[in-house]
Amino acid sequence: MLNVSGETVCRLVELAQAFQARDTVSMPEDAGNPIDDAAGAEALTEPAAGKEDGSVAEFRTVIEDLEPDQQTEVVALMWLGRGDFQEDEWEEALRMARDEWTPDTADFLLGHPLLSEYLVEGLAVFGVQCDL
């Protein structure tokens, strides 16, 4: 049984997907050789405009609004989805997440490039699905 709602974790999944999408490559409209000019090369590595600020800020707010025990559940769900723990090791994952808890939980979670996938997999263990 989860102390954090599936709806909340699914919202975190959506926000993580938006954050991860900021790294998508945006091609310039002029289909010249972007490698040959500095502006074109910059466009290949530039995050998609406007996606980082809103999704990251909201992700942080959602995490910060959770109680520490709920934050640790989100971390444990990520670990479960990543395969660090099996379903029968849930209590151990929670214990470890509690032992390693810091107020920087949002930064810790955002540092994982496949966060949204891990959370979806972790929720699935508990029979919870996100409508994405």
Side-chain angles (χ1 to χ4, degrees), residues 15-79:
L15 294 167
Q17 287 174 336
F19 172 75
Q20 292 164 341
R22 85 181 196 337
D23 290 330
T24 40
V25 174
S26 56
M27 296 299 290
E29 300 238 353
D30 178 15
N33 186 352
I35 302 303
D36 290 340
D37 68 46
E42 192 174 298
L44 290 175
T45 59
E46 190 175 298
K51 291 204 177 186
E52 180 176 350
D53 293 333
S55 60
V56 170
E58 187 176 343
F59 185 95
R60 288 181 194 287
T61 299
V62 172
I63 291 293
E64 290 166 5
D65 286 347
L66 295 175
E67 295 296 324
D69 64 319
Q70 293 173 313
Q71 291 178 13
T72 59
E73 281 193 1
V74 174
V75 171
L77 279 170
M78 181 195 65
W79 288 339

Side-chain angles (χ1 to χ4, degrees), residues 95-110:
R95 206 171 9 265
M96 186 173 175
R98 275 187 221 111
D99 290 347
E100 295 183 12
W101 181 86
T102 73
D104 299 323
T105 301
D107 290 331
F108 173 74
L109 291 167
L110 288 168

